Amino acid sequence: MNLVSLIAALLQSAAPAVAPLPTAADPVESDWRTIPDDELMVMTLAGDRRVVIRLAPRYAPVHVDNLRKLARAHWWDGTSVYRVQDNYVAQWGDVTEKKPLPAGVVANPPAEYVGIRYDAVTRMARSDPYAAKSGHSADGWPVASDGKGAWLTHCYAMVGVGRDMAPSTGSGAELYTVIGHAPRHLDRNIALVGRVVEGMEYLSSLPRGTGNMGFYAPEQVPTPILSVRLASDLPAAQRPHYQYRAADNARFAAWLRGRENREPPFFTVPAGGADVCNAMPPVRKAPVR
């Protein structure tokens, strides 16, 4: 390094850091809304790996009520993640399908696949092959509609209820999360009950099952589930706290347009639109006050 370069480097290192100017898409503090403790479910896997799921009671109230009862009964303790299908889902519960359900759990709830009202406050610029319109609810859920009913969409990290052939709707004892490309063909066919907001890497990186549809073969070892609890049932000091970014404001709208049209210098051709699954509203850990 010559003298001129050395002096320039020293001056640069000594200069105070300049914060980037805010943009129209940056959230303000009031855009971050707290997720209630009883809408967070904490799953602890072997190896002290924690997975936190945000529940969606507004869209699947009976299924989510079942999940709360299962967690409070400690039903998942000692079960496992027994299916991991590449580019599709990771599934957990009782692989034997013989463990009795706790009292009060509805074995086959109503088919909570399609809601009554489309409550999106945003709209994607383009429709997609699976819905006439899609967007986001004010509280950060990806939703779609055909103009008649509305439903949550199968995006990465969304959590759904495993079921047998219809008329089975699944009790919620068997759950899965999307670990690959969004399988939107499942929309309106399975109840979606939440979204993984922490620990997704622990599910997406598990060894793939070598059996049919990614189920673990006899020689494979499923991942043990040590416990599943509602955050509201944990001691206060152990509760995780999360916030979602609200979608009902101009700042989120600007963020969404940016997701649909990525800007230079890296992007030279804007796409003009995006799938709703490419614009999942951010979730963050609540700041410590």
Side-chain angles (χ1 to χ4, degrees):
M1 180 180 290
N2 59 38
L3 181 60
V4 174
S5 298
L6 178 60
I7 293 172
L10 290 172
L11 288 173
Q12 185 176 12
S13 64
V18 178
L21 294 174
T23 71
D26 291 339
V28 298
E29 192 60 29
S30 61
D31 291 340
W32 294 103
R33 314 284 172 79
T34 299
I35 300 172
D37 288 350
D38 67 349
E39 292 183 12
L40 291 172
M41 195 163 71
V42 182
M43 177 167 66
T44 304
L45 305 177
D48 199 29
R49 292 169 289 180
R50 186 172 77 169
V51 177
V52 181
I53 299 166
R54 180 191 181 190
L55 301 177
R58 192 169 72 256
Y59 295 98
V62 183
H63 280 93
V64 170
D65 185 61
N66 273 358
L67 266 56
R68 287 170 169 153
K69 289 175 179 174
L70 287 159
R72 285 175 174 145
H74 301 181
W75 189 89
W76 282 292
D77 297 13
T79 62
S80 65
V81 183
Y82 56 79
R83 176 192 179 195
V84 185
Q85 187 170 359
D86 191 49
N87 197 32
Y88 201 44
V89 301
Q91 185 169 325
W92 62 92
D94 173 34
V95 70
T96 70
E97 298 185 345
K98 295 178 180 179
K99 190 172 183 176
L101 296 174
V105 171
V106 181
N108 278 294
E112 297 176 309
Y113 309 157
V114 181
I116 300 172
R117 185 173 64 89
Y118 182 61
D119 63 355
V121 296
T122 68
R123 181 163 183 171
M124 306 304 294
R126 292 178 179 172
S127 59
D128 60 55
Y130 302 97
K133 55 184 178 179
S134 59
H136 310 87
S137 67
D139 55 349
W141 293 104
V143 291
S145 176
D146 59 1
K148 300 176 182 177
W151 56 89
L152 293 177
T153 56
H154 271 80
C155 299
Y156 182 81
M158 291 293 283
V159 176
V161 175
R163 67 170 176 84
D164 293 325
M165 296 297 181
S168 169
T169 60
S171 66
E174 308 303 312
L175 296 173
Y176 64 86
T177 190
V178 177
I179 62 170
H181 182 76
R184 294 284 306 281
H185 57 282
L186 296 177
D187 293 357
R188 295 184 285 176
N189 288 282
I190 294 180
L192 284 167
V193 292
R195 173 188 175 187
V196 176
V197 296
E198 179 191 328
M200 190 63 198
E201 67 273 19
Y202 300 132
L203 296 170
S204 62
S205 63
L206 289 174
R208 277 30 181 171
T210 58
N212 186 38
M213 299 178 63
F215 284 88
Y216 278 9
E219 66 274 11
Q220 292 186 286
V221 180
T223 298
I225 296 174
L226 303 184
S227 67
V228 177
R229 301 287 185 272
L230 292 173
S232 55
D233 291 339
L234 294 173
Q238 297 177 19
R239 296 178 187 178
H241 299 288
Y242 284 85
Q243 298 173 326
Y244 63 86
R245 182 176 175 178
D248 56 352
N249 57 77
R251 294 168 296 280
F252 186 88
W255 176 84
L256 180 58
R257 297 289 83 83
R259 298 291 293 182
E260 293 184 314
N261 294 283
R262 304 300 181 94
E263 296 181 349
F266 184 84
F267 290 90
T268 58
V269 180
D275 183 282
V276 67
C277 292
N278 292 119
M280 291 291 280
V283 173
R284 73 176 189 180
K285 287 186 176 180
V288 177
R289 302 298 185 188

